[in-house]
Amino acid sequence: MAERFTRAQVEHVAMLARLELDEAEIELFARQLGEILDYAVQVQQIDTTGVPPTASVVTGHAADRPDEVLPCLDRRDALANAPDAATDRGLFKVPRVIG
Amino acid sequence: MTRPGTISEVREAIRRGDRSAVEVCEEALTRIRAYDPALHAFNTVTELQARERAAALDRDPARKAALPLAGVPVAVKDVLCTRGIRTTASSRILESFVPPFDATAVERLEAAGAIIVGKTNCDEFAMGSSTENSAFGPTRNPWDRDRIPGGSSGGSAVAVSAGLCSFALGSDTGGSIRQPAALCGIVGLKPTYGRVSRYGLLAFGSSLDNVGPLTRSVADAARVLSAIAGHDPADATSAPHSVPDYAEALTGDVRGKRIGVPARLVDQGVEPEISKAFKAALDALRSRGASVVEIELPNAGAAIPVYYLVATAEASSNLARYDGVRYGFRATLEGPPRGGHHLKDDLLKMYGRTRAQGFGPEVKRRIMLGTYVLSHGYYDAYYLKAQQVRTLIRRDYETAFNRVDVVAMPTTPTPAFKIGEKVSDPLQMYLEDIFTVSANLAGLPAISVPCGFTTTNLPIGMQLMGRMFDEQTLFDVADAYERDVDWLRREPPL
């Protein structure tokens, strides 16, 4: 039987993920996340004593390079897709945070 | 209506002067206009740009003769950035995003003379196995329009299968090129991790993501890989290895090649018709002089949960960038909240509502799962543990490749399923990827080639996996098999 997430747990994760969830989504995810993680229990049963984690399969080639200044994205282009920007001043705009 | 043909056919026709680049381009655009309304392979058709580029090639015969893909129409999955062309990831959150730069793979295709005819539909942010998770509606399988084409690169697979272009680019994080290729009856290649630059690919799972081709022949896949592979200073994980002319090196000779089959894995839950087609394909390779060896992959059964822990963790981090500030959609704060009383100030509310309205259900589910497995107190139990088992899965393949040259299995356990059949059960949908996710976890190259049809005329695919950076052996074996069969010459009923 799948372990059910509590409403508070789902809301906590949603806060960390910056997601506004409605009532139906909280219900749905409480059930589905439990089911998916239940299925993942088989991973926890595998003996991994002394096994190093794989974060990346890349081995053997260093990504080091000289620290040179190269051309990059034009500021106007970088701001062109912003939902709200002060293009002339080179700024992205966001809702007021400080009272 | 003429199909634009394979890459080889188009290049041959253009070289002989039978068709101009503009004529080939018009053939593709005409077929898109005629068939795409029913199939919905494309999110955007780049008619004007395509015509202009084709005309420019026709005005420059030296360039047209020299470039390996000159005049060949290509469709690009809508997760690869195209300068000046809307790139949506099939998501509301990027519905009107116009990238200021090209993905490296796109830039290299265009440098090789290929003509982009449009951007293809996919599961939102490449998260899915059916292309039903697109914010713009599903893509339909040309072999049976009530069925899914696979995913996430479903639009790319359909565009190629239906002959709306000569080839397409897709992305593959857990099978997203190979599975739709199998379900649509074409060839799909996931290259070795790092073989093709990921620069300009909208990131999903950065340690798993790959860019690769979907084509109507193995030799075509080899041609495209030679064009797009190679080191790129803009992607620190791209490999410095030199890029051979894979197509030129094809011999059709598989004598002495050892093909490993993980019998225990393959016997579980595979539909009988798929099993039968796969075994017949192995027989065909045997009769060409290859030997078939049984192998063990002891940790293969854990691949799906490991994949969904690692991929969602990486996705939750990668998708944090879609916050309504620098690009994409931003929600307004008018009106009552749908919930989310946990989001306190206006900035948090803006983030939360933008993401609530901008992302679809599967993307939210994966962000939630990934955020949870990375969160304080659960990291070791889920994420770290999954990464350790990932090491064991890699070791299984290392051991297998001491004895064999390629590992073979069906690409999918079932043929294309009905639209709507699995949408309400995410876990069932995830199990669709049972044979494909391991190549991503281990970073190995893998190709899907057509190996038959069901009695109801649905395509079946065989997957071949190889050693890191040994795409050549995959192409050799797949090409040798393809010479014996005519699956790729069949056309879907349009």
Side-chain angles (χ1 to χ4, degrees):
Chain A
M1 188 57 206
E3 191 188 326
R4 235 190 111 81
F5 272 59
T6 64
R7 190 195 164 82
Q9 277 177 308
V10 174
E11 287 197 321
H12 174 66
V13 177
M15 192 276 292
L16 294 176
R18 304 292 188 263
L19 272 176
E20 183 184 279
L21 298 184
D22 63 24
E23 287 303 316
E25 285 171 324
I26 291 173
E27 266 301 301
L28 183 72
F29 290 150
R31 179 169 60 79
Q32 289 181 336
L33 295 182
E35 282 168 9
I36 295 166
L37 287 169
D38 216 37
Y39 182 68
V41 165
Q42 56 180 297
V43 174
Q44 288 162 337
Q45 289 160 348
I46 296 172
D47 182 7
T48 53
T49 316
V51 178
T54 294
S56 166
V57 297
V58 174
T59 48
H61 60 267
D64 297 353
R65 56 175 171 76
D67 188 14
E68 287 168 316
V69 177
L70 295 169
C72 67
L73 202 57
D74 178 79
R75 192 164 76 178
R76 200 161 275 276
D77 289 341
L79 288 165
N81 276 291
D84 193 8
T87 311
D88 295 339
R89 296 161 66 198
L91 303 170
F92 294 106
K93 290 166 78 175
V94 295
R96 177 183 290 273
V97 192
I98 306 161
Chain B
M1 237 177 290
T2 326
R3 283 157 72 98
T6 62
I7 296 173
S8 325
E9 286 162 359
V10 168
R11 284 303 296 149
E12 187 57 29
I14 286 181
R15 248 193 303 263
R16 281 203 310 261
D18 293 352
R19 290 190 284 170
S20 67
V22 168
E23 281 166 348
V24 174
C25 179
E26 290 301 338
E27 284 165 9
L29 294 173
T30 303
R31 285 180 71 91
I32 292 170
R33 271 196 306 271
Y35 301 124
D36 201 52
L39 297 171
H40 189 216
F42 286 88
N43 286 341
T44 305
V45 180
T46 52
E47 213 164 313
L48 294 178
Q49 291 102 319
R51 280 204 186 99
E52 271 169 31
R53 281 174 189 267
L57 268 178
D58 283 334
R59 286 193 301 269
D60 189 346
R63 211 169 147 254
K64 190 163 76 167
L67 297 178
L69 300 174
V72 182
V74 58
V76 175
K77 185 178 183 181
D78 216 5
V79 291
L80 283 154
C81 286
T82 40
R83 191 206 318 245
I85 301 169
R86 191 172 80 115
T87 299
T88 69
S90 292
S91 179
R92 292 280 170 222
I93 215 161
L94 287 180
E95 195 167 0
S96 50
F97 173 63
V98 179
F101 60 90
D102 278 321
T104 299
V106 168
E107 191 179 270
R108 288 183 181 181
L109 276 189
E110 292 200 315
I115 308 288
I116 295 175
V117 293
K119 303 296 293 289
T120 54
N121 196 19
C122 54
D123 287 296
E124 185 177 2
F125 283 101
M127 296 181 187
S129 311
S130 70
T131 315
E132 292 169 290
N133 296 333
S134 166
F136 311 130
T139 298
R140 290 171 182 275
N141 192 314
W143 294 93
D144 178 348
R145 289 183 200 171
D146 293 333
R147 290 176 189 272
I148 58 99
S152 65
S153 311
S156 287
V158 170
V160 175
S161 169
L164 311 183
C165 54
S166 294
F167 73 104
L169 284 187
S171 67
D172 189 315
T173 305
S176 282
I177 288 174
R178 291 159 286 156
Q179 185 252 16
L183 302 189
C184 290
I186 58 168
V187 176
L189 172 78
K190 171 224 165 305
T192 307
Y193 183 80
R195 180 72 291 194
V196 177
S197 168
R198 292 181 293 112
Y199 180 70
L201 169 66
L202 302 179
F204 162 11
S206 302
S207 80
L208 307 158
D209 290 343
N210 299 265
V211 178
L214 297 98
T215 62
R216 286 206 301 277
S217 78
V218 172
D220 274 7
R223 280 186 191 92
V224 178
L225 185 62
S226 290
I228 63 175
H231 182 250
D232 174 13
D235 174 2
T237 61
S238 73
H241 305 54
S242 64
V243 181
D245 185 337
Y246 297 106
E248 188 62 37
L250 290 174
T251 60
D253 187 3
V254 286
R255 278 174 299 176
K257 287 275 190 295
R258 293 157 302 170
I259 297 167
V261 177
R264 226 150 35 104
L265 178 67
V266 170
D267 289 341
Q268 287 166 7
V270 176
E271 281 197 8
E273 283 196 279
I274 294 206
S275 195
K276 197 175 143 208
F278 173 64
K279 281 174 182 149
L282 293 177
D283 286 341
L285 285 165
R286 255 195 221 100
S287 69
R288 277 195 166 252
S291 60
V292 176
V293 183
E294 199 169 305
I295 56 160
E296 291 287 330
L297 298 169
N299 296 288
I304 289 279
V306 167
Y307 172 78
Y308 277 93
L309 294 172
V310 172
T312 57
E314 293 185 8
S316 72
S317 162
N318 274 324
L319 269 63
R321 73 190 67 181
Y322 303 104
D323 58 5
V325 174
R326 287 152 301 160
Y327 32 72
F329 167 78
R330 175 188 290 185
T332 60
L333 289 181
E334 279 103 57
R338 305 156 70 234
H341 52 269
H342 49 286
L343 301 169
K344 300 296 179 207
D345 61 46
D346 279 357
L347 184 61
L348 276 179
K349 285 195 175 79
M350 187 280 281
Y351 291 151
R353 198 166 308 173
T354 292
R355 291 159 65 79
Q357 294 176 13
F359 292 138
E362 182 59 26
V363 173
K364 289 182 195 173
R365 185 157 35 246
R366 295 200 194 191
I367 289 174
M368 289 289 290
L369 185 61
T371 304
Y372 177 73
V373 303
L374 289 178
S375 66
H376 182 70
Y378 300 98
Y379 181 92
D380 284 2
Y382 289 112
Y383 186 59
L384 185 66
K385 186 77 183 179
Q387 287 186 315
Q388 288 176 303
V389 179
R390 185 179 183 183
T391 303
L392 296 177
I393 291 169
R394 288 176 72 192
R395 287 179 184 169
D396 285 352
Y397 280 93
E398 277 166 27
T399 307
F401 283 121
N402 287 331
R403 290 179 56 216
V404 299
D405 300 301
V406 299
V407 170
M409 60 188 86
T411 310
T412 63
T414 64
F417 46 90
K418 289 263 172 69
I419 290 177
E421 194 179 319
K422 298 190 184 186
V423 273
S424 60
D425 190 345
L427 199 51
Q428 276 309 308
M429 190 73 94
Y430 298 170
L431 292 173
E432 195 45 37
D433 305 332
I434 178 81
F435 297 130
T436 50
V437 293
S438 294
N440 302 76
L441 291 169
L444 305 170
I447 193 167
S448 179
V449 285
C451 73
F453 284 83
T454 65
T455 48
T456 53
N457 212 28
L458 296 172
I460 299 171
M462 167 170 65
Q463 177 181 231
L464 302 169
M465 298 166 67
R467 298 185 183 96
M468 285 189 94
F469 298 102
D470 190 13
E471 279 85 355
Q472 189 67 59
T473 300
L474 290 188
F475 290 139
D476 282 338
V477 175
D479 169 63
Y481 170 67
E482 194 184 282
R483 292 179 192 210
D484 283 336
V485 292
D486 69 348
W487 313 122
L488 278 155
R489 283 193 282 280
R490 295 201 193 176
E491 292 182 21
L494 291 175

